[in-house]
Amino acid sequence: MTRPRQTWVHLLVWRPADPSNPLDVSRSWPHVLQVVRDERPAPPGVILRPGEPIPYAAGRVAAALGLRAPEPLRLLAVDQQPAEPGHEEQVGLVFDGGWLAADGPPPCDDCGRSHTVWTPMRDVGRVALAHAFRALLTGRHTSAVLWRGGLPDEGGQ
């Protein structure tokens, strides 16, 4: 029996080392906002509902965090995770959620039994987030497409 694919819409929200120049990483890389659920951090996101427009799903993520929906919606990375026994194949769409200068993470109103944390970029478990941030730094207009968290020419992981 083939299990259906889950498509996730994630927002990359970061806190820069220098708010006056948010994309400057010469001194330090930023911290990334993550939602901790069952002790596992992940980028804030929702499962795309059947027939739901992607901008609406991104707006749901932003609303749950108490943030404004990103406009225009910029796709930074696509991360495909193959199905594992008992789990669906997952495709994660990582969009630019912008940056915040606040020290504390925003509240997580509709996140269930979870909370938000700022994670240093070096400790982010999801490689797609690092690729997404690199897309912001380089100003690329094409998003990275990842397989199991790595670029296909890197052999994946």
Side-chain angles (χ1 to χ4, degrees), residues 10-16 22-23 30-34 44 58 61-62 65 67-76 94-102 106 118 121 129 132-133 136:
H10 297 287
L11 292 183
L12 171 64
V13 178
W14 77 97
R15 185 182 70 200
L23 291 177
H31 285 69
V32 175
L33 184 67
Q34 294 201 89
V61 179
L65 295 170
L67 303 175
R68 195 169 8 137
E71 296 239 355
L73 198 57
R74 287 187 354 171
L75 180 64
L76 301 174
V94 182
F95 291 93
D96 180 6
W99 62 274
L100 298 172
W118 289 110
M121 185 65 82
L129 294 179
F133 189 75
L136 285 171

Side-chain angles (χ1 to χ4, degrees), residues 8-9 16 35 49 55 65 70 73 77 79 83 97 106 112 116 120 127-128 136 144 150-151 156:
W8 283 82
V9 174
V35 175
R49 296 173 180 154
L65 295 170
L73 198 57
D79 186 17
T116 55
V127 179
L136 285 171
L151 293 171

